[in-house]
Amino acid sequence: MRRVTGWIVLIVLVAFLVWGVTLIHPFGYPDASDMDDYIIENSQEETGSNNVVAAVLFDYRALDTLGEATILFTAVMGVLLLLRASKRKKETS
Amino acid sequence: MLTKIVRTVANQLILFIVIFGLYVIVHGHITPGGGFQGGAVVVSGIVMLLVAFSSQELKKLLRERVLSIVESSGAVIFIGLAFAGIGTVFFYNLLVGTPIFGRVPAIGPGPGDIWTGGVIPLMNFAVGLKVIAGLSAVVLALALFSGGEEVEE
Amino acid sequence: MTFILGSGYAFWNPLIWIIVFMLVMVLVYFFRRRGQKAYKKGTDQARIFLCGEEVPEAGERHIRVGNIYWGFFETLKEYYNLILRPHTGVINDYILWFVAVTAISVLILLIAGLAK
Amino acid sequence: MMEYIPLDFPFLAAALLVGISFYIIIFKKNLIKLIMGIAMLAAGVNLFLVSLGYRAGGTAPIYTDVPEGPMVMSVPQALTLTSIVINVAVLALMLTMVIRIYRHTGSLDSEKSRRLKG
Amino acid sequence: MAALITHSPILIIVIPLLAAFLTPLIGMTSRKARNVLVVVSLVFVAFLVFALARDISINGIHVYTLGATSPDLSIPTGFMVPVRIILEVDGMSVFFGIIWAIVSLAAAIYSLSHIASETGQNRFFTLLLLMVTGGFGMMFTGDLFNLFVFLEIASIAGAALIAFRTKFADTQEGGFKYIVVSAIASLMVLFAIGLLYAQYNSLNIAYLAQVIQYTTLDKIALGLFLIAFAMKTGMVPLHLWFPDAYSVAPASITGMLVITSHACMYAAFRICFTLYGGVINAPVVGWIIIIFGLLTMFVGVTMAVFQKDVMRFMSYHAISQLGYMWVGVGVGLAVLGNPGLLATYGRDAMSGGIFHILNHALYKPLLFFTGGALFHYTGTRDLTKMGGLAHKMKWTTILYIIGTLSISGIPPLNGFSSKILIYESVYQFNPILTITGIIVSILTLASFTKAFHSAFMGAELPEYKEVKEVPRSMIIGMVILAAGIVFVTLFPSLIVDWIIHPAADALIDPGPYISAVTGAIP
């Protein structure tokens, strides 16, 4: 029962996704690229960085990068929180 | 703890790995790479040390407390650089045009210049610090935990 | 500053409600004052009487949660059997439900788009 | 210049990766396999994102010593980088929890290690 | 002050973040300084949110372009498309921001003594502040990918906090289920973002709303968005993870998780009403939401009557209450294309649904906090083991009664005023919705009475001789929320006029939200 339902819904969803991605512009020939053209043209002038991806990461979409760094920080904190000893050591020192 | 050959080779290789990682971090704004990638390269070196030596030995080298401080300070540097621009707008790249990393390269393809990019190289550096400290803390903590040792507060 | 919250049909005013509630409370207090005066605390009158049996300890006497609304669950047994079936607690099933609902919703959206 | 590819293979690959990973997540009861499924799902989504920005014959969007010609779109690359780092973080936390679950229950099976139900 | 208001959207996001980065450093030296830092930063953020709300009610939508030469330069000069990340705060965002500010402050104060005997407190408070950041980011951002990033911050921090009590097996399981579900939901959101990016090459919600066409790809993306966010809110039948995760977390975190669930609801509303606002097939999507909302209400409450674990019981009630909001807003969405019906009852239904979010955000964390207070000294969440606790915990009892009356919609408490709005407006759309709502309300009261009886009433039990009233900071945390309930109870019309109607109008008409960003386009 579970197997059959699982397969049916899985196939339906994947069919939609596959059908969906064939409707996207042909690979390598994007329809619209205004934002990216602007960034590629102006990043050297506005940020002084030769690496456009770095310019996007740290200037145009810097809040994303801050969020990304925050997520890494969160995960580190989370891992250390979960692996901690649940009892304090005797406070000798 | 693996054989002596592995340990010796690891001892020699770690230098190159760290230098390559730092190169990737520092040149993040002119060549492919950046703080995350370079940090990951350095951490891969640390993982190599973890495999070659034991986690107990590595623990003496990298203290949990120190890693935590380095990571927090990396994050604070990053957010501080973002705050520096708040006179105009948060995240404003205020170093473009100043003597520090402020040169503007020739428009179009050309050789890179390390003194460009404004706050981008500094942010790369801060992120690199953070990634190195953070990921090595995670790897070390997981290795120590599987050896039965829990993280202290 | 108004207290009235209009809702299309009617309105709701907490102030009026509180005033009416106060009046009712006064009325209730008034009736209560007219009750029996013979009741005294601390005498045998206030002791628990259980058909002459010995009264159990405090812990035994408390009606625990499992015994409340027994008839409700007994009546709705079939409904609960049905509704407890998907609550397996297995993470794989949770994702299966997600995939199923996503597939169905996308299907509905696409069919509705065709009809339009 | 690359030839025009009639089928959008990268997009299809991404969609199929998503499908395969959903198969793993739904049918495999081992928690480590479940995590692998999520990693594959992330890989599929990342592949999809990064292939959106490709331009036929484009070079990497880095001006240092680059030949003249079109450059691929840079924003999807930045998004993919962000997404990869996010998934590393998620996986680290998931593995930690699985280690803890294994310590407590002695099982990696999602049915046998289950305590919460109903 | 003017500069503070101008920069407040980003400051509200970044101040908790900065405090979170500093917490491990300061916590190493002094525990007291750390507590002061946490509380002061959250109080300051709450102040900024209220100032921003006041400014928005006067000056309209607030746009903040990160990294540009001027905050309101949303589109580069002489260009057509927004390039940078834009924060955009309108009535709806700031409404959720107010809720989040109040609840996170109460939760932080509550946690100060709730986890005082545990290890790992520095990291606990760091993660708590990160979760606050994630929530505010989700509410204030005007960029889809940024929404995804902040969603992940809130989920990862939440998952780590759910698993905080590592010595129990069930906490780890709850945290694991939460993070798996959030990871999959957010990856599907990312896939949908990719589908939109492929067609329109933009990530800005306002710009996308202007150019969107409702093609097949857009429909698939809408389905993915809607169901992924619905799963994160805990809509039946995707609610299965919800009680598992909520019941095992520390009580303060459970209170905050309720609001992250509302933040996901905000994201779903933003997608349906603003991003797809002009093109959406409103009746179909509205009915999908209404049917799932009805299921959510009914299944949630019937499962709740059944429960014996106090936190699990309350989490099922949280699911059930979420149904009211879905139904209220769903009715608004179903009549979105019809201005006449919208004016007759659609707007009132939406106001009721949104008002219910505020009320739920006040009483449900309060109830979770009282559940945590029960756990604090008894050390159990099992209702079958409890009894007679009212003798020892007077404050907790009173606060629990306030929460119970409010959630059951007993007049004059605030739960009633939002429920009456929903009932009376939804009745005109379809009477069955109102009838279900009233039945669910009755069952809610019945089950809370049961829990009240088994936990608080009865004679003092011998095993709880040592139990005493919870520490003062926990009571302060609960009293903050109870004070909010009393305020909303006394002035429902004031609240509706100030923040609910602007929020509902922001949803109904996406025009101002769009033109605030793209207005400069010739």
Side-chain angles (χ1 to χ4, degrees), chain E residues 316-338:
Chain E
Y316 270 112
H317 274 296
I319 295 173
S320 155
Q321 298 296 311
L322 292 169
Y324 282 95
M325 305 153 202
W326 284 117
V327 167
V329 178
V331 167
L333 181 57
V335 298
L336 192 63
N338 187 332

Side-chain angles (χ1 to χ4, degrees), chain B residues 87-113:
Chain B
T88 339
V89 174
F90 198 76
F91 271 120
Y92 181 67
N93 196 339
L94 79 168
L95 288 183
V96 173
T98 59
I100 317 152
F101 291 108
R103 289 190 209 156
V104 175
I107 307 296
D113 181 355

